[in-house]
Amino acid sequence: MLRRDQIQAIFRQMAGINEEEWQAFAQHLEEVTFPKHDYLCRAGETAQYLYFIYTGAVRVYHQTEEQEFTLNFHFENEFVTAFSSFITQTPSRVSLQALEQVQASRIHHQHLYNTYQQYHHAERIGRLFAEKLYVQKTNREIDLLSLSAEQQYLNLLQKNPKLISQISVKHLASYLGIHPESLSRIRHKLAVNS
């Protein structure tokens, strides 16, 4: 139960929710564990749950016949779902995979949206998260379009060293839009120059 306090603290900080509002949300939370490599949601499924990660890491990726494209990573104290699918309740175009064992709480789409309808603060939290995700997505797109792979890697290293240390070269290279060999060359070059 102490872990749920993490979620409550985030909600209180964002929107000042009161105990009644928190209980309306918390009564629908379910604790779940996903082993390494297991899926929280697969492409083609409709995302039914929003997850809050207590421990572990999740990769969000899109698969074509030829290639995997890593779109994002999510870590402890972050919310994750296949957001487009979750919002529209249509089949997901992305998969969410545990990169290591993930322990999380989750809430079903219907319960979350019922809470939005009942409580103004809950709806405000949803809006603030959507705004935050939009800003992150826009910044990521700008980086992909305007920065070299080396600059993107250096930015990642500065912003999120945990990402660099926990993620395989294959997945990290996919996130940067380069081949693993290119990432290895970048890492070697930076190690030599440091």
Side-chain angles (χ1 to χ4, degrees):
M1 197 59 137
L2 283 176
R3 290 181 165 181
R4 291 185 178 189
D5 291 346
Q6 294 170 251
I7 305 172
Q8 186 178 17
I10 291 169
F11 287 0
R12 281 211 169 116
Q13 182 180 19
M14 291 180 75
I17 66 167
N18 62 37
E19 189 62 27
E20 178 189 347
E21 293 164 328
W22 166 248
Q23 290 303 326
F25 177 84
Q27 70 178 325
H28 299 294
L29 288 175
E30 175 187 6
E31 309 298 315
V32 290
T33 300
F34 294 92
K36 183 176 182 177
H37 303 304
D38 202 1
Y39 287 87
L40 287 71
C41 180
R42 291 180 186 267
E45 299 174 350
T46 299
Q48 295 296 327
Y49 293 97
L50 174 67
Y51 298 90
F52 181 81
I53 303 170
Y54 296 120
T55 62
V58 174
R59 177 173 73 113
V60 180
Y61 72 94
H62 174 70
Q63 173 99 37
T64 66
E65 287 184 19
E66 299 84 30
Q67 196 173 351
E68 280 184 5
F69 299 93
T70 299
L71 305 175
N72 214 338
F73 300 102
H74 294 273
F75 298 97
E76 300 165 7
N77 297 321
E78 292 183 358
F79 287 93
V80 66
T81 187
F83 283 100
S84 293
S85 173
F86 187 77
I87 291 165
T88 62
Q89 286 296 280
T90 57
S92 177
R93 297 181 67 194
V94 299
S95 294
L96 279 64
Q97 184 181 37
L99 294 176
E100 55 193 25
Q101 180 175 284
V102 169
Q103 294 181 320
S105 279
R106 70 181 184 184
I107 187 167
H108 193 275
H109 177 272
Q110 181 181 346
H111 295 307
L112 181 62
Y113 276 75
N114 286 346
T115 307
Y116 284 172
Q117 288 177 349
Q118 278 186 289
Y119 298 101
H120 169 71
H121 284 130
E123 191 173 46
R124 181 168 186 259
I125 290 167
R127 177 182 57 80
L128 292 171
F129 273 118
E131 290 172 358
K132 181 180 176 184
L133 286 171
Y134 177 78
V135 169
Q136 289 173 346
K137 183 179 183 313
T138 301
N139 288 337
R140 166 110 167 98
E141 289 169 354
I142 291 169
D143 286 352
L144 281 172
L145 293 170
S146 62
L147 300 179
S148 69
E150 185 174 327
Q151 289 170 316
Q152 290 180 65
Y153 179 78
L154 286 169
N155 282 350
L156 270 180
L157 194 56
Q158 184 180 7
K159 289 180 196 171
N160 201 338
K162 185 193 308 186
L163 183 73
I164 303 300
S165 66
Q166 288 185 339
I167 305 302
S168 72
V169 170
K170 174 186 167 188
H171 295 325
L172 197 52
S174 170
Y175 178 75
L176 295 170
I178 59 176
H179 294 288
E181 300 78 22
S182 300
L183 178 55
S184 294
R185 280 193 294 275
I186 290 169
R187 284 179 156 177
H188 178 72
K189 176 185 170 187
L190 294 173
V192 168
N193 293 335
S194 62

